[in-house]
Amino acid sequence: MARGIAAPTEHQELIEWVGDIAELTQPDEIVWCDGSEAEYHRLAEELVAKGTFTRLDPTLRPNSYYAASDPSDVARVEDRTFICSRREADAGPTNRWKDPAEMRAIFTGDSSGAAGTGGEKSGPFGRPGDGGLFRGSMRGRTMYVVPFCMGPLGSPLSAMGVEITDSAYVAVSMRTMTRMGRAVLDQLGTDGAFVKAVHTLGAPLADGRADVPWPCNTTKYISHFPETREIWSYGSGYGGNALLGKKCYALRIASVMARDEGWLAEHMLILKLTPPRGEARYVAAAFPSACGKTNLAMLEPTISGWSVETVGDDIAWMRFGEDGRLYAINPEAGFFGVAPGTGQHTNANAMKTMYGNSVFTNVALTDDGDVWWEGMTEQPPAHLTDWKGDDWTPDSGTPAAHPNARFTVPAAQCPIIAPEWEDPRGVPISAILFGGRRASAVPLVTESFDWQHGVFLGANIASEKTAAAEGKVGELRRDPFAMLPFCGYNMGDYFGHWVALGKDAERKGDRDKLPKIYYVNWFRKDADGRFVWPGFGENSRVLKWIVERLSGDAAGVETPIGVLPAQGALDTDGLGLSPADLDLLLTVDREVWREEASLIPAHLETYGDHTPPELWAEYEALVARLG
Ligand code: GTP
Ligand code: SPV
Ligand code: MN
């Protein structure tokens, strides 16, 4: 950890940029993070002293901390998230757009519109006193310079960034979530490319003003400049808004890089599945936020002889290799997972992963200095301190943990982490799963007819909203490819990119090497509102059918919406599902699906002439099959 202005690098562009941001934001001090364990401990100590962190009992959970956010700063703020492309059409109808010059003026007060050039002004961001949210926003605070790498260091599939932040919570979290510090500066050398990411809590400490445990601002901006590959985040300390390597870079900016360079940056888990006999397969799956990626990635199969290992739980970067196969890396080094619902019976591997070296945000505190949340154990403790800091008992009538409470843990601690999870070449993907929360209509599993039909299924993902973002929980919304909040450009063009990759493969004669695409739904409910499918470890049965389909060993029946397991092909032995349950999970009700199909044109029309004609053709074909 280097204090003061002396930079531990000779990368001139980086040094100048850090100087510019310091001049704009006016921190008391600049610290270059080296990513060492000693630095982590020192920052954690400082956070304990400030009241942001509460140290958990080290005999129960070593080197672990509890943090409670400001009650207003608990999730991603989608309506404050902006894509500032030069042309509004490039942000598309589902992102909030602002002109880049206008957004810069809001941040820096410099209305000249020239990014990074000072002209006749005193600095690159205009004169002090010109206003702008970032001007002086770090006063009284330390500015941390956090060099990070998304993906294994040195992998041709990886990419680097530097986050400047005035939050020590962000700095320590970035150490868990990314490869961070000295080694990244070394890799950057004197002229390596990096994404510039600036984050401020927007809570400067004016003369003598006391700090609070979770500083933030009621004004928030999560802004992306896709053409210049920059991120500016203001006013929030919450993960998805503040850990800029994650959703802001690895999805929003990276999806633009991927479009330009012919690869894919996706909201997907990556898992390795090994059958009792036969070779291991790698599967990627996109489900919307809080819809089961972490759980599927760490699944404990209930069927004997099968094993699952984890490669990633939230983001996949994928590129076609020389051999025509699609290779994926997990760009992250940690898990930032949903705590509620995670327990010994649902996700024992996640529980083991967070044995120590973990940060828990917005969970509840037990009286003996550990953490708890709904679903961790069947019986809640008799007394807790809830996420708001209030006394809590099982009779309180409110959740003890916020529904979007999260754990932050190193991926390497996962007991089933795949040995190849950091392989610089990535892992070859055999199947891609799409899915969401659907109480009705959508079967347990559907196989697409081909890549293009699979793209159509991904484009039509609809899911009931969860607590991962601000807004009404439970409302059904379209979340194409589980990327609605994360696509950094026009979603219609993104569909086109997926279609084009399939056509490329076909042209090269690699059609059969494309991953097969499936649609799954663990969340079907019966008339009493009960989940019909037991989910979690039992989802291995669906993975089994999928892998057996890949090797031609499982039977399927064609339906108007895709191929479903033939009778008896899905292993449901010992589940005790009634014939009515099975029927609900594995049949396509034409009437219901005509209704579903009738909603598709309005969805595709959202993107106007950016919607690829191939998706309209898929829609027409669906309607024809439904009769
Ligand atoms: P993000 O980190 O927000 O992107 O979410 P995620 O997709 O990784 O979601 P996660 O696996 O953390 O699951 C979120 C919630 O869904 C948890 O409360 C889980 O208990 C619940 N869940 C996960 N898998 C299943 C399942 O198979 N069935 C049911 N009923 N619930 C599930
Ligand atoms: C999600 O909301 O999809 C997450 C958590 O994985 S966050 O990093 O906050 O976006
Ligand atoms: Mn996510």
Side-chain angles (χ1 to χ4, degrees):
M1 194 147 70
R3 287 184 181 264
I5 199 83
T9 171
E10 281 164 33
H11 195 301
Q12 284 313 312
E13 185 192 351
L14 172 56
I15 293 170
E16 268 166 40
W17 173 64
V18 169
D20 291 345
I21 299 298
E23 192 181 315
L24 175 70
T25 58
Q26 300 285 307
D28 276 6
E29 187 179 23
I30 301 175
V31 167
W32 289 73
C33 290
D34 60 22
S36 66
E37 201 175 322
E39 172 185 87
Y40 185 93
H41 291 311
R42 199 152 52 235
L43 291 178
E45 278 310 322
E46 287 177 26
L47 286 163
V48 170
K50 272 170 46 113
T52 311
F53 272 3
T54 299
R55 183 191 304 284
L56 301 179
D57 183 332
T59 62
L60 300 172
R61 222 171 280 271
N63 189 31
S64 297
Y65 303 91
Y66 158 88
S69 81
D70 186 281
S72 69
D73 196 25
V74 295
R76 284 181 293 99
V77 282
E78 293 180 2
D79 59 349
R80 303 301 304 164
T81 299
F82 298 90
I83 301 297
C84 306
S85 46
R86 276 182 212 117
R87 298 183 331 147
E88 183 170 4
D90 287 334
T94 50
N95 282 311
R96 286 136 219 90
W97 175 82
K98 215 180 234 324
D99 179 81
E102 252 176 71
M103 188 60 92
R104 271 178 211 289
I106 290 171
F107 291 158
T108 69
D110 177 6
S111 52
S112 73
T117 54
E120 283 150 44
K121 301 206 168 187
S122 58
F125 301 119
R127 266 176 250 106
D130 284 355
L133 288 174
F134 279 72
R135 192 165 296 284
S137 72
M138 296 190 186
R139 278 206 186 104
R141 298 194 182 279
T142 300
M143 180 174 116
Y144 301 94
V145 183
V146 182
F148 63 93
C149 182
M150 301 312 292
L153 267 167
S155 163
L157 285 79
S158 298
M160 288 180 279
V162 178
E163 176 164 357
I164 291 176
T165 176
D166 55 4
S167 160
Y169 170 92
V170 168
V172 298
S173 300
M174 285 294 284
R175 180 173 184 266
T176 302
M177 295 304 297
T178 70
R179 285 86 177 170
M180 186 275 258
R182 181 78 245 172
V184 179
L185 284 185
D186 290 346
Q187 188 88 22
L188 271 175
T190 56
D191 60 357
F194 66 97
V195 162
K196 298 182 172 98
V198 195
H199 168 252
T200 181
L201 299 165
L205 295 168
D207 322 295
R209 193 198 299 159
D211 206 353
V212 292
W214 190 276
C216 60
N217 197 301
T218 48
T219 298
K220 292 176 174 50
Y221 282 93
I222 319 300
S223 299
H224 308 71
F225 299 82
E227 283 98 0
T228 52
R229 316 281 201 241
E230 282 171 84
I231 302 154
W232 289 66
S233 168
Y234 182 89
S236 170
Y238 168 75
N241 303 326
L243 310 180
L244 303 185
K246 197 170 172 56
K247 295 309 184 3
C248 299
Y249 183 170
L251 291 180
R252 296 196 193 96
I253 295 293
S255 61
V256 175
M257 293 161 63
R259 174 199 63 190
D260 295 348
E261 299 165 8
W263 51 283
L264 292 165
E266 300 299 328
H267 193 201
M268 289 182 181
L269 68 92
I270 308 164
L271 65 81
K272 176 186 181 184
L273 180 66
T274 311
R277 283 168 301 281
E279 55 165 342
R281 299 274 195 175
Y282 299 93
V283 175
F287 311 146
S289 300
C291 290
K293 289 183 300 300
T294 303
N295 279 271
L296 192 70
M298 297 181 193
L299 167 142
E300 265 188 6
T302 49
I303 42 181
S304 80
W306 290 73
S307 75
V308 163
E309 290 159 274
T310 311
V311 177
D313 85 323
D314 196 49
I315 300 177
W317 284 3
M318 305 191 285
R319 224 181 258 265
F320 286 97
E322 298 277 300
D323 62 358
R325 299 196 68 188
L326 186 62
Y327 285 82
I329 60 163
N330 169 12
E332 303 192 272
F335 306 131
F336 181 62
V338 178
T342 307
Q344 243 14 279
H345 297 293
T346 54
N347 192 347
N349 288 314
M351 296 306 292
K352 287 177 196 148
T353 306
M354 54 181 110
Y355 76 88
N357 309 313
S358 306
V359 172
F360 300 89
T361 305
N362 290 337
V363 301
L365 262 182
T366 65
D367 294 347
D368 57 358
D370 200 6
V371 286
W372 190 84
W373 49 76
E374 279 67 24
M376 184 202 257
T377 54
E378 258 159 57
Q379 285 301 317
H383 179 264
L384 292 165
T385 305
D386 72 11
W387 70 280
K388 289 183 168 169
D390 296 328
D391 279 316
W392 185 94
T393 68
D395 300 327
S396 290
T398 53
H402 185 275
N404 191 39
R406 299 247 167 191
F407 52 82
T408 312
V409 294
Q413 289 184 190
C414 180
I416 57 159
I417 197 83
E420 59 275 52
W421 83 281
E422 298 193 279
D423 188 331
R425 292 167 302 182
V427 295
I429 300 297
S430 294
I432 293 175
L433 278 49
F434 294 122
R437 283 180 188 262
R438 285 301 303 270
S440 62
V442 181
L444 180 63
V445 56
T446 310
E447 182 182 81
S448 68
F449 297 121
D450 56 24
W451 177 269
Q452 189 172 295
H453 180 235
V455 172
F456 178 68
L457 298 184
N460 286 323
I461 294 180
S463 191
E464 292 142 23
K465 269 198 81 176
T466 64
E470 294 289 339
K472 192 160 170 265
V473 170
E475 217 167 59
L476 190 67
R477 70 165 180 181
R478 293 280 174 188
D479 189 346
F481 291 77
M483 284 287 276
L484 179 69
F486 307 121
C487 184
Y489 62 103
N490 189 310
M491 186 68 87
D493 295 344
Y494 167 94
F495 297 162
H497 182 56
W498 269 82
V499 169
L501 289 179
K503 288 195 191 289
D504 272 359
E506 233 161 277
R507 210 175 29 248
K508 292 177 183 151
D510 290 338
R511 190 192 154 95
D512 295 341
K513 295 174 185 165
L514 284 168
K516 281 213 169 220
I517 299 179
Y518 295 81
Y519 199 105
V520 299
N521 177 28
W522 319 139
F523 299 95
R524 190 73 183 261
K525 287 182 177 167
D526 64 13
D528 302 326
R530 178 187 63 99
F531 287 122
V532 179
W533 178 249
F536 303 103
E538 305 295 2
N539 294 335
S540 56
R541 297 167 185 271
V542 174
L543 293 178
K544 177 181 170 188
W545 181 74
I546 288 172
V547 162
E548 289 175 349
R549 287 291 294 169
L550 296 175
S551 56
D553 296 324
V557 276
E558 261 194 42
T559 79
I561 66 167
V563 178
L564 266 64
Q567 192 149 39
L570 182 78
D571 178 354
T572 54
D573 282 357
L575 275 187
L577 288 176
S578 69
D581 286 346
L582 269 177
D583 199 50
L584 198 64
L585 292 167
L586 294 176
T587 46
V588 175
D589 182 329
R590 274 177 193 255
E591 217 30 68
V592 169
W593 271 92
R594 279 190 204 110
E595 185 74 32
E596 282 281 315
S598 75
L599 303 172
I600 291 175
H603 170 53
L604 294 183
E605 274 159 16
T606 311
Y607 309 98
D609 55 13
H610 291 262
T611 302
E614 289 83 356
L615 295 192
W616 282 110
E618 289 295 335
Y619 163 71
E620 300 295 344
L622 170 66
V623 170
R625 288 192 302 266
L626 284 167

